[in-house]
Amino acid sequence: MVNNQQDPLDAVFHALADPTRRAMVARLAQSPCGISELAAPFEMTLAAASKHVKVLERAGLLVRSIEGRNHTCALDTRPMLGGLEWLRHYEQFWNQRLDALTAALVADDQAERNTD
């Protein structure tokens, strides 16, 4: 059986894994804009830009409002909080490991000095 529901964190990391989409997120952090404005810095069609927008939208990072034929995209950073929490957990893990390594190296250095 195939599970079609993607973990929200997986969707966020997938969306942000692409440099074009990261650039789009950076642009949206300035202010909402249309799809053509998001596509402008890249050599891509509006259809290709729309595919990137849909990935960001599925991840919850982008909210689209439609007025007639105009699609305005705005950034929603709330889904990034899950990724930030996940990264913080591993930051604590590695900080503890690095602190333990530092302590071990200092103790080893002191032991060598005492034997000289």
Side-chain angles (χ1 to χ4, degrees):
M1 179 173 190
V2 176
N3 182 2
N4 289 328
Q5 291 186 344
Q6 190 175 23
D7 182 310
L9 189 56
D10 290 347
V12 169
F13 281 131
H14 169 74
L16 296 175
D18 183 85
T20 300
R21 290 192 289 269
R22 287 194 306 272
M24 289 179 167
V25 166
R27 168 57 192 90
L28 290 170
Q30 297 171 7
S31 66
C33 65
I35 295 175
S36 59
E37 199 174 336
L38 284 175
F42 310 102
E43 292 184 19
M44 70 172 61
T45 63
L46 287 178
S50 183
K51 288 181 181 182
H52 285 292
V53 165
K54 286 178 185 176
V55 172
L56 292 168
E57 202 170 22
R58 279 193 298 271
L61 296 169
L62 182 146
V63 178
R64 186 189 324 212
S65 61
I66 303 170
E67 289 185 34
R69 298 180 74 182
N70 295 325
H71 292 230
T72 302
C73 303
L75 181 63
D76 184 353
T77 59
R78 289 177 293 177
M80 289 185 201
L81 293 176
L84 186 58
E85 290 172 7
W86 186 84
L87 290 169
R88 280 188 180 146
H89 168 77
Y90 285 98
E91 178 185 28
Q92 290 174 353
F93 170 82
W94 283 111
N95 283 339
Q96 290 171 352
R97 295 293 190 264
L98 290 171
D99 289 346
L101 176 60
T102 299
L105 291 173
V106 167
D108 187 48
D109 189 42
Q110 288 176 348
E112 282 185 24
R113 286 184 191 165
N114 291 339
T115 59
D116 290 339

